[in-house]
Amino acid sequence: DIQMTQSPSSLSASVGDRVTITCRASQGISNYLAWFQQKPGKAPKSLIYAASSLQSGVPSKFSGSGSGTDFTLTISSLQPEDFATYYCQQYNSYPPTFGQGTRLEIK
Amino acid sequence: EVQLVESGGGLVQPGGSLRLSCAASGFTFSDHYMDWVRQAPGKGLEWVGRTRNKANSYTTEYAASVKGRFTISRDDSKNSLYLQMNSLKTEDTAVYYCARGAMTGQVDYWGQGTLVTVSS
């Protein structure tokens, strides 16, 4: 199975900040990488697919990049509603695997 | 509007069985792959399995942790997805989400989840 490793595991930031979360795959996955946001007690929400394409309705403050094994999710101008846990997932090969999550907290 | 609504969760004893359902609306269900993803309390997301669409012969894939115990099926006439869970273990305790597979391969919509608790 492909292992997905996110860093950092947790992150404190302030409203208005720009933050970057990294996801590394244990082997190359081309651009078959998605990002999800999850708030406590809620279902995940899809943000980005194909490493850099925004899901419909997702604001442009979210952006993704990368290919192969190294990927990033960047969130600009943090707002209170952005504080959540973020997961990456590879869907290049079965089984699809998730990173362990990055908890973004308010400083 | 795409909607996915899971049901069927509850408390079951180890070794028991449970069948989850997911009612889909707002899109052409028969065109899409469908996934089950679970999340143990306080833990991360774990992919459980997938059913492909009719064009791909409704073939299925499973995580190693559930293969041979769980079965995914669908009824396109009812716009419904199912997860039959047998020989349940305490480590199967989780919120189970159904999720839609987009044409580009990723999951794009999620249900609200249903909680399965396996305990004596």
Side-chain angles (χ1 to χ4, degrees), chain A residues 18 35 48 51-52 54 59-65 72-75:
Chain A
R18 179 176 183 263
W35 289 97
I48 286 172
S52 61
L54 283 181
S60 58
K61 63 186 305 181
F62 293 93
S63 63
S65 66
T72 60
L73 171 69
T74 299
I75 312 169

Side-chain angles (χ1 to χ4, degrees), chain B residues 8-88:
Chain B
L11 175 64
V12 60
Q13 291 188 337
S17 297
L18 206 59
R19 189 195 197 206
L20 306 183
S21 300
C22 172
S25 61
F27 65 102
T28 305
F29 180 75
S30 59
D31 285 347
H32 289 263
Y33 293 12
M34 296 295 296
D35 285 7
W36 287 99
V37 177
R38 69 183 180 182
Q39 186 170 36
K43 302 297 184 182
L45 300 169
E46 180 188 16
W47 179 81
V48 172
R50 166 171 290 175
T51 175
R52 296 182 178 88
N53 54 13
K54 182 178 180 180
N56 289 279
S57 305
Y58 298 124
T59 52
T60 52
E61 304 283 349
Y62 296 96
S65 58
V66 306
K67 194 169 186 178
R69 300 188 299 122
F70 289 12
T71 302
I72 297 173
S73 61
R74 61 192 293 164
D75 185 338
D76 289 353
S77 69
K78 295 182 178 179
N79 290 341
S80 292
L81 173 71
Y82 305 102
L83 180 64
Q84 177 67 44
M85 303 184 294
N86 298 331
S87 303
L88 282 161

